[in-house]
Amino acid sequence: MKKLFAMLALVLAAPLMLQSNVALAADTEKTKQVVYHFNKSDMNTIKAGLRNATNHVNSPSGPETAIEIVVHGGGIKMMTEARQDPQLAAAIDNLKANGVDFKVCANTLRGKGLEVSDLYYTDESDIVPSGVAYLADQQMEGWAYIHP
Amino acid sequence: MKKLFAMLALVLAAPLMLQSNVALAADTEKTKQVVYHFNKSDMNTIKAGLRNATNHVNSPSGPETAIEIVVHGGGIKMMTEARQDPQLAAAIDNLKANGVDFKVCANTLRGKGLEVSDLYYTDESDIVPSGVAYLADQQMEGWAYIHP
Amino acid sequence: MKKLFAMLALVLAAPLMLQSNVALAADTEKTKQVVYHFNKSDMNTIKAGLRNATNHVNSPSGPETAIEIVVHGGGIKMMTEARQDPQLAAAIDNLKANGVDFKVCANTLRGKGLEVSDLYYTDESDIVPSGVAYLADQQMEGWAYIHP
């Protein structure tokens, strides 16, 4: 159904689109989008979730799917533990090398007294003001949602 | 993408909208919508979920986001425990004061032999026939979904 | 909002729809769609999730809602245990008799060394390449998502 709307939009809304060419160009490469929600501190849950995302990348839908991993609350343990856990770090590296983006909640960092520099392979540009608001906002833009 | 559709709808569907002015008026205030799914009885999960919703309200997206907390199954413990737990009650009060609505599953009340009067600060108008059906129905209307 | 789009689509996209009559015919029967995500091996979580789906079928929205249960990771225990657990098997039977479809992740079977014949009441046609990709792909087609 969403594809039908996309078709409709392209056919009918051309005159309205002066400022959104860039976003639409990206859409033609990645026609599917999904946010993964990581908020549990249990390491088995975290590692299973990363395996899920890796399987998603390697699935038939992988090449056309933009994937973002949104980390907040207890899930932040993924980014702190990865500094001492080479297997965990490798899973994150591999996902990043395949174009998966990580987004980290600023509220969580503030609440736990963490700095960006305490997190594995995280940049200021990966920080979002609120992890949960980001998850909802992306869905409002048409992204799917998965809670591993 | 959904914003594009909304624009399209406004431009093209005007003649069809005679009866939906009220709903659209509300949409101009709250352009984003999200249901939170509370179905776990673990009190740490419940309290973390309420903190998530509070952070969502206080996020940059908060003012434009309608938030509903849908309670069923084990999650009903939030509404029974809040009668004895002032901190929990205060978190619920604060969310309600910020416009967050709570919806409680009638199936759960029946299954657990609970009355509306057994629940903290709940009204008959907060009861929905099925919590899970409500979560899906709201998504069909364009709401995002978050499982804390 | 999605209903409005559906109306718009019907009004405006008629010339584009030569090949999608069948899908649209099915849509007129089931106007709502939801995928349930089963990935936990805990049997209480599995049984609660099956009760949720059963309540969904029996809810006022049930008759107009297509429901699929997507099983992967630890959730596969539902399909292996049901061979020895008559109560679990009956819950699955009942859902199937009410038109609920089950989808099982091929990655999970490969990872755990399981065959289709090791699973309760599962057919080759129920297997999808990746459970998580399937959950996202269905949402891209407009399905709601519930994680019990």
Side-chain angles (χ1 to χ4, degrees):
Chain A
M1 205 59 158
K2 286 191 183 171
K3 279 188 187 166
L4 187 58
F5 295 144
M7 229 169 27
L8 259 176
L10 287 168
V11 171
L12 298 166
L16 304 171
M17 279 183 192
L18 298 174
Q19 296 184 308
S20 35
N21 321 24
V22 179
L24 281 167
D27 279 352
T28 57
E29 290 164 353
K30 298 288 191 188
T31 54
K32 301 174 176 177
Q33 301 87 18
V34 59
V35 278
Y36 274 76
H37 185 181
F38 279 65
N39 66 333
K40 304 295 180 196
S41 61
D42 171 60
M43 287 308 293
N44 287 332
T45 301
I46 288 173
K47 290 184 178 181
L50 293 174
R51 276 196 305 276
N52 293 160
T54 302
N55 282 334
H56 204 149
V57 167
N58 295 329
S59 79
S61 302
E64 57 188 358
T65 306
I67 301 178
E68 290 184 349
I69 290 179
V70 181
V71 177
H72 78 95
I76 196 69
K77 204 168 164 191
M78 172 166 66
M79 307 315 269
T80 52
E81 289 290 303
R83 296 180 72 195
Q84 289 95 252
D85 180 337
Q87 193 206 350
L88 182 59
I92 294 172
D93 290 352
N94 175 54
L95 286 166
K96 292 206 178 197
N98 280 282
V100 174
D101 280 327
F102 288 69
K103 301 289 178 186
V104 176
C105 175
N107 284 327
T108 301
L109 297 188
R110 204 174 304 119
K112 296 186 188 286
L114 291 167
E115 305 288 335
V116 173
S117 55
D118 296 321
L119 309 179
Y120 181 73
Y121 198 171
T122 302
D123 192 83
E124 285 289 349
S125 65
D126 302 326
I127 309 299
V128 294
S130 159
V132 285
Y134 188 81
L135 286 165
D137 291 352
Q138 290 295 75
Q139 288 179 73
M140 286 292 111
E141 300 292 321
W143 290 55
Y145 167 95
I146 289 178
H147 191 292
Chain B
M1 207 57 161
K2 285 189 182 173
K3 278 188 183 164
L4 186 59
F5 294 143
M7 230 170 24
L8 258 177
L10 286 168
V11 171
L12 298 167
L16 304 171
M17 280 185 193
L18 299 175
Q19 296 184 309
S20 34
N21 321 24
V22 179
L24 281 167
D27 279 352
T28 57
E29 291 163 352
K30 298 285 190 189
T31 54
K32 300 174 177 178
Q33 301 88 19
V34 59
V35 279
Y36 274 75
H37 186 182
F38 280 65
N39 67 332
K40 303 297 179 194
S41 61
D42 170 60
M43 287 308 293
N44 287 331
T45 301
I46 288 173
K47 290 183 178 182
L50 292 173
R51 277 196 305 276
N52 292 160
T54 303
N55 283 335
H56 204 149
V57 167
N58 294 330
S59 78
S61 303
E64 57 188 358
T65 306
I67 300 178
E68 290 184 349
I69 290 180
V70 181
V71 177
H72 77 97
I76 196 70
K77 203 168 165 190
M78 172 166 67
M79 306 315 269
T80 53
E81 289 290 304
R83 296 181 72 195
Q84 289 96 252
D85 180 338
Q87 191 205 353
L88 182 58
I92 294 171
D93 290 352
N94 175 53
L95 285 167
K96 292 205 179 200
N98 280 283
V100 174
D101 280 327
F102 287 69
K103 301 290 177 185
V104 176
C105 174
N107 284 329
T108 300
L109 298 187
R110 204 175 305 119
K112 296 187 186 287
L114 292 167
E115 304 289 334
V116 172
S117 55
D118 297 322
L119 309 179
Y120 181 73
Y121 197 173
T122 303
D123 193 82
E124 284 290 348
S125 65
D126 302 325
I127 309 298
V128 295
S130 159
V132 284
Y134 188 80
L135 287 165
D137 291 353
Q138 291 294 76
Q139 289 179 72
M140 286 292 110
E141 300 293 321
W143 290 55
Y145 167 95
I146 289 178
H147 192 290
Chain C
M1 206 56 159
K2 286 191 184 171
K3 278 187 186 167
L4 186 58
F5 294 142
M7 229 170 26
L8 260 176
L10 286 168
V11 171
L12 298 166
L16 304 172
M17 279 184 194
L18 299 174
Q19 296 184 309
S20 35
N21 322 24
V22 178
L24 282 167
D27 279 352
T28 58
E29 290 163 354
K30 298 286 190 187
T31 55
K32 299 173 178 178
Q33 301 87 18
V34 59
V35 278
Y36 274 75
H37 186 182
F38 280 65
N39 67 332
K40 303 295 179 195
S41 61
D42 171 61
M43 287 309 294
N44 287 331
T45 301
I46 288 172
K47 289 183 179 181
L50 292 173
R51 277 197 305 277
N52 292 160
T54 303
N55 283 335
H56 204 150
V57 167
N58 294 330
S59 79
S61 302
E64 56 188 358
T65 305
I67 300 178
E68 290 184 348
I69 290 179
V70 181
V71 178
H72 77 96
I76 196 69
K77 203 168 164 190
M78 171 166 68
M79 307 315 269
T80 52
E81 289 289 303
R83 297 181 72 195
Q84 289 96 252
D85 179 338
Q87 192 205 350
L88 182 59
I92 294 172
D93 290 352
N94 176 54
L95 286 166
K96 292 205 178 199
N98 280 282
V100 174
D101 280 326
F102 287 68
K103 301 289 177 186
V104 176
C105 174
N107 285 328
T108 301
L109 297 188
R110 205 174 304 119
K112 296 187 187 287
L114 291 166
E115 304 288 333
V116 173
S117 55
D118 297 320
L119 309 178
Y120 181 72
Y121 199 170
T122 303
D123 193 82
E124 285 289 348
S125 65
D126 301 326
I127 309 299
V128 295
S130 159
V132 284
Y134 189 81
L135 287 164
D137 291 351
Q138 291 294 76
Q139 288 180 73
M140 286 292 110
E141 301 293 320
W143 290 56
Y145 167 94
I146 288 178
H147 191 289

